[in-house]
Amino acid sequence: MTKIFITRLIPSSGLNLIKEHFQPDVWSHDLPPTRVQLLESVRGVDGLLCLLTEKVDAELMDAAGSQLKVISSMSVGVDHIDVSAATERRIPVGNTPGVLTDATADQAFALMLSAARRIPEAERYVRAGKWITWSPSLLLGADLAGATLGIVGFGRIGQAIAKRAQGFELRVVYYSPNAKPVFGAQPVDLNTLLKESDFVSINVPLKDETRHLVNENFLSKMKPTAILINTARGGVLDQNALYNALKSKQISYAALDVTDPEPLPMNSPLLELENCIIVPHLGSASKKTRDQMSVLAAQNLIAGLNGDILPNCVNSDVY
Ligand code: DGY
């Protein structure tokens, strides 16, 4: 019998598709399996459906065994998977691109507006009983119209942010070698982007070359009034450098959908800052998007188990 391990309860749209063909073993606890539980649960499986919370490395693949035919992640990012190790073992790795583009771009905009207009601060202000009167100088923020948005990484999500920016009358520049200009966005080098942008949105995948791309040097080139938005991966940003830049007002504000590690420990100094918004990795967190992600992940899993080419494969050189 084909053995499948699914590392968490995924939306029924995807799960039911899998159940039409197979009887998967589903980790149905709220918390992900620990490393030990994961290594134990994958033993002998033909297919693994994981989330971004699982580290899928060579050790895990070997613990599963040489019969492992497919690794399908319910995520577009695959930085939690050692794709080279999978390729060496000729295991196709599937991901879920496209379906979360709009939701993640919406989230980047939600964070941009929240930071610009200081919404979480304002909400805390009201709940603390500090709202005594309307005041000409109360909680003043930044305008979007007429400002410049710099997008670092102009892939699907970066472009969807640029599309939304047109409606907000933002000028958009981007840094992304080889990406074509769309939605009125203008390609520039990174230094120009950092010098000119009032908002900087990070939209690159986490890879060796992008780890800590946002470091002290990067932040030092931004405007003191600039707002940084990260909906990519926490590891793209050096959080100590960000803390120093926010604390010293070298930049004005940051809004993070992602951190390193996740969850962010409660003793992180970033949590002490008024000018830093942090939400728990919710870029793709709309019902429709998560349903669609589960379907793509299921389709990849089923294709891999049937020996077919994965509809969305990140290491097609296995074929
Ligand atoms: C992904 O799929 O990589 C996203 O980060 C999930 O929100």
Side-chain angles (χ1 to χ4, degrees):
M1 195 180 78
T2 303
K3 280 183 74 179
I4 298 168
F5 183 59
I6 304 181
T7 61
R8 212 87 63 81
L9 194 55
I10 61 168
S12 53
S13 347
L15 188 56
N16 289 343
L17 262 187
I18 298 168
K19 285 184 173 169
E20 279 174 23
H21 306 264
F22 306 103
Q23 289 178 325
D25 173 16
V26 182
W27 186 265
S28 51
H29 306 270
D30 288 339
L31 289 179
T34 62
R35 181 74 183 170
V36 172
Q37 289 166 328
L38 189 59
L39 288 171
E40 187 49 41
S41 304
V42 296
R43 215 165 288 284
V45 300
D46 302 285
L48 172 66
L49 194 155
C50 65
L51 308 183
L52 51 79
T53 41
E54 281 78 54
K55 185 172 179 209
V56 181
D57 55 8
E59 184 194 24
L60 191 99
M61 295 171 205
D62 291 341
S66 57
Q67 76 299 326
L68 182 62
K69 288 195 188 68
V70 56
I71 298 167
S72 170
S73 184
M74 198 183 110
S75 63
V76 66
V78 288
D79 47 284
H80 55 298
I81 301 175
D82 185 341
V83 177
S84 311
T87 307
E88 272 165 30
R89 290 162 180 74
R90 303 192 68 77
I91 304 169
V93 175
N95 72 338
T96 63
V99 294
L100 46 72
T101 299
D102 283 326
T104 309
D106 286 350
Q107 178 78 346
F109 249 88
L111 289 173
M112 207 186 308
L113 286 163
S114 298
R117 300 305 294 273
R118 304 171 61 185
I119 304 293
E121 270 183 89
E123 220 256 350
R124 287 195 289 273
Y125 180 88
V126 172
R127 285 180 190 268
K130 293 183 184 165
W131 186 16
I132 309 299
T133 182
W134 186 91
S135 152
S137 57
L138 178 63
L139 285 162
L140 302 184
D143 288 301
L144 268 67
T148 296
L149 164 63
I151 302 177
V152 181
F154 207 53
R156 273 180 290 254
I157 296 170
Q159 291 176 23
I161 293 172
K163 186 176 175 188
R164 283 154 179 73
Q166 288 186 313
F168 281 86
E169 297 176 30
L170 282 149
R171 167 183 174 244
V172 181
V173 296
Y174 70 88
Y175 170 68
S176 198
N178 307 325
K180 297 226 165 63
V182 287
F183 304 121
Q186 179 196 343
V188 291
D189 60 59
L190 187 57
N191 283 343
T192 306
L193 182 147
L194 297 176
K195 189 164 144 244
E196 295 186 0
S197 297
D198 301 291
F199 298 89
V200 174
S201 176
I202 305 300
N203 298 100
V204 287
L206 177 61
K207 296 183 171 172
D208 289 343
E209 6 2 320
T210 58
R211 183 169 293 281
H212 287 194
L213 168 74
V214 183
N215 55 17
E216 195 182 333
N217 181 41
F218 182 108
L219 293 160
S220 71
K221 293 177 183 163
M222 289 173 64
K223 293 184 182 183
T225 49
I227 293 173
L228 178 76
I229 315 294
N230 188 9
T231 51
R233 282 291 183 269
V236 175
L237 194 153
D238 175 347
Q239 283 174 187
N240 291 332
L242 178 67
Y243 172 79
N244 292 335
L246 288 169
K247 179 88 181 160
S248 64
K249 301 278 164 60
Q250 188 177 39
I251 69 167
S252 154
Y253 230 97
L256 312 177
D257 186 53
V258 286
T259 61
D260 184 21
E262 293 182 1
L264 187 68
M266 282 309 289
N267 63 0
S268 165
L270 286 175
L271 293 169
E272 294 162 13
L273 299 174
E274 282 290 333
N275 56 346
C276 187
I277 298 171
I278 303 175
V279 294
H281 201 149
L282 297 174
S284 63
S286 75
K287 169 131 188 19
K288 179 177 141 207
T289 299
R290 290 284 165 84
D291 280 347
Q292 292 176 332
M293 288 169 72
S294 76
V295 169
L296 289 197
Q299 288 169 341
N300 282 331
L301 181 80
I302 294 165
L305 289 168
N306 289 338
D308 297 332
I309 293 179
L310 271 51
N312 290 288
C313 185
V314 298
N315 58 344
S316 37
D317 39 339
V318 292
Y319 296 115

